[in-house]
Amino acid sequence: MTHSAQEFGEWPLKRLLTAVVGSGPKSADDMSHAQAREAFQRILAGEPNETTLGAFWLANRWKRNTPEELAAYTDVMREESVVTAEPDVDPVDCGANYDGKHSSAVLGVGAGIVAAAAGTPVVVHSGDRVPTQKATAYKHVLDELGVRTDLEPTESAEMVDETGFGFYYQPAFNPGIQDLYERRDEMGVRTFVNTIETVANPANADVHLGSFYHLAFAKKLTDLLRESEQLEFSRAIFFQGMEGYDDIRPGYTKVAEWSEEDDELEDYEIETAEYGMAMESDDLAVDDVTADSAAITEAVLAGERDDAFTDAIALNGAFRMYARQDVDTLEEGLAQAREVIADGSADAVLEELRAF
């Protein structure tokens, strides 16, 4: 997205590098909200030299962004790049890491369809082989299942209303970020763009479900939501998912829950064994993440499997119901998840998605 006639302030990226963020991880300063806003406006406009942009991204990485900086970047992204389309229903927004998974099955498609069949609408969004991992994300599993993914935002909203599950495709709803693809690829490491794209919220949902690697980062993300002027989530749940994705891991999973009402971050643990699930992470490993994730999802939804993958998809579906507060407990959600798999409702949603 190029805005050739756009006017900026007094903080080109080279000056920010010299005067604020570029002096090293111990001596670098944080940017003000206004400085971070201007920086990302310049980036989206294609203004910085390629070397300067790479240096700026790297400096942000080594000094670590503050929630205020991330909120400023997010607000600019929402204002200048994101094209939203709201379905009539209010779904759970699932924004997993866009660069995907490379060794374990992607469970979120099956989990989202199970939740949708139980009455909890779900929205997922991703790009296509996003740097740095360029691994399997939502789009690729849906493609393998025969579900359309090259959708305009209005079509994505229609998909949610028709089926209860919707996919939003980053090149269509966030073209400014898509325009940065080659530069991000050349970096070779993640940048703050990998963080903010997960909270783009193209459906303007009220509830966000995301993932984190460390609890301190979940705190940073909830502070981002709190400080953002463009995001209006009233509730967010983050958990330490498999490979950083929004899939609850077997065994022990750390969860961080925030609501606008009490404005506090609560953290707790989920133990899959407490739900009668005797599985380990290796039980969810696959050889071909894209093909195997799709085949597993299809078989689970059809009621043709009764194994660790079925348990994991049911539990993740229950967590989406819980996130939207459609159930009071995970136990209640798990019972509903198993019911919609057993009675064919989940499989019917998949068929509706294929027909969309």
Side-chain angles (χ1 to χ4, degrees), residues 104-107 136 141 145 286 288-298:
S104 61
V106 173
L107 307 173
T136 298
V141 178
L145 285 167
V286 291
D288 184 327
V289 177
T290 299
D292 291 346
S293 295
I296 289 164
T297 297
E298 186 173 33

Side-chain angles (χ1 to χ4, degrees), residues 88-149:
D88 293 333
V89 297
D90 187 11
V92 176
D93 172 71
C94 295
N97 288 331
Y98 276 30
D99 61 356
K101 299 174 75 174
H102 57 73
S103 61
S104 61
V106 173
L107 307 173
V109 172
I113 291 173
V114 164
T120 296
V122 171
V123 157
V124 302
H125 42 97
S126 80
D128 188 1
R129 306 297 176 189
V130 170
T132 55
Q133 292 192 138
K134 297 185 180 179
T136 298
Y138 277 119
K139 171 182 167 53
H140 310 111
V141 178
L142 289 164
D143 285 342
E144 192 77 12
L145 285 167
V147 178
R148 283 183 61 209
T149 58

Side-chain angles (χ1 to χ4, degrees), residues 242 249-251 272 277-285 308:
M242 295 185 69
R249 63 181 65 197
T272 51
M277 299 177 182
M279 57 180 170
E280 299 179 358
S281 294
D282 288 347
D283 295 326
L284 302 181

Side-chain angles (χ1 to χ4, degrees), residues 1-8 41-42 44-47:
M1 254 189 181
T2 301
H3 308 277
S4 57
Q6 188 170 350
E7 294 184 5
F8 302 111
Q41 285 173 332
R42 289 176 180 270
L44 288 181
E47 187 250 22

Side-chain angles (χ1 to χ4, degrees), residues 19 28 31 33-34 60 75 92 94-95 114 124 128 134-135 156 175 225 240 244 254 290 307 322 336 339 345:
M31 288 175 284
H33 186 271
N60 273 258
D75 287 347
V92 176
C94 295
V114 164
V124 302
D128 188 1
K134 297 185 180 179
S156 299
L225 303 186
Q240 199 169 15
K254 193 77 172 179
T290 299
D307 56 8
Y322 173 77
Q336 290 193 24
E339 182 178 343
S345 300

Side-chain angles (χ1 to χ4, degrees), residues 5-23:
Q6 188 170 350
E7 294 184 5
F8 302 111
E10 57 183 21
W11 289 99
L13 262 64
K14 189 173 183 179
R15 185 183 176 200
L16 283 170
L17 279 164
T18 303
V20 185
V21 302
S23 59

Side-chain angles (χ1 to χ4, degrees), residues 59-324:
N60 273 258
R61 182 178 172 88
W62 72 44
K63 87 165 190 65
R64 298 183 181 180
N65 283 120
T66 65
E68 183 178 25
E69 291 168 339
L70 291 172
Y73 298 149
T74 300
D75 287 347
V76 170
M77 176 183 69
R78 290 269 300 175
E79 292 164 3
E80 300 194 8
S81 179
V82 174
V83 180
T84 61
E86 295 183 22
D88 293 333
V89 297
D90 187 11
V92 176
D93 172 71
C94 295
N97 288 331
Y98 276 30
D99 61 356
K101 299 174 75 174
H102 57 73
S103 61
S104 61
V106 173
L107 307 173
V109 172
I113 291 173
V114 164
T120 296
V122 171
V123 157
V124 302
H125 42 97
S126 80
D128 188 1
R129 306 297 176 189
V130 170
T132 55
Q133 292 192 138
K134 297 185 180 179
T136 298
Y138 277 119
K139 171 182 167 53
H140 310 111
V141 178
L142 289 164
D143 285 342
E144 192 77 12
L145 285 167
V147 178
R148 283 183 61 209
T149 58
D150 190 3
L151 302 166
E152 292 301 315
T154 52
E155 293 179 298
S156 299
E158 291 170 5
M159 176 184 278
V160 183
D161 285 327
E162 287 190 20
T163 71
F165 179 96
F167 174 76
Y168 285 70
Y169 187 34
Q170 186 179 50
F173 79 81
N174 204 350
I177 297 299
Q178 179 64 22
D179 287 348
L180 296 172
Y181 184 96
E182 291 185 9
R183 299 272 56 79
R184 294 171 67 185
D185 192 23
E186 290 297 325
M187 279 295 296
V189 295
R190 288 178 175 172
T191 72
F192 61 76
V193 180
N194 290 78
T195 298
I196 65 172
E197 66 190 354
T198 66
V199 292
N201 195 17
N204 285 337
D206 188 53
V207 177
H208 176 74
L209 182 71
S211 59
F212 62 86
Y213 286 98
H214 306 288
L215 185 59
F217 191 68
K219 175 66 163 62
K220 184 177 289 189
L221 287 171
T222 56
D223 286 344
L224 181 170
L225 303 186
R226 183 184 294 112
E227 295 188 24
S228 170
E229 297 173 358
Q230 288 291 320
L231 293 174
E232 296 183 353
F233 293 120
S234 68
R235 178 172 164 84
I237 298 181
F238 298 94
F239 55 85
Q240 199 169 15
M242 295 185 69
E243 299 184 63
Y245 219 70
D246 58 357
D247 296 326
I248 294 172
R249 63 181 65 197
Y252 165 95
T253 298
K254 193 77 172 179
V255 181
E257 189 171 324
W258 170 84
S259 71
E260 186 179 43
E261 184 177 358
D262 56 27
D263 200 24
E264 292 183 2
L265 183 67
E266 176 189 3
D267 64 271
Y268 52 92
E269 296 82 35
I270 292 176
E271 291 276 2
T272 51
E274 294 179 2
Y275 301 95
M277 299 177 182
M279 57 180 170
E280 299 179 358
S281 294
D282 288 347
D283 295 326
L284 302 181
V286 291
D287 295 323
D288 184 327
V289 177
T290 299
D292 291 346
S293 295
I296 289 164
T297 297
E298 186 173 33
V300 168
L301 297 181
E304 297 172 354
R305 296 185 73 121
D306 184 16
D307 56 8
F309 290 108
T310 304
D311 285 342
I313 285 175
L315 182 60
N316 279 279
F319 207 76
R320 282 146 178 77
M321 300 176 214
Y322 173 77
R324 193 172 179 264

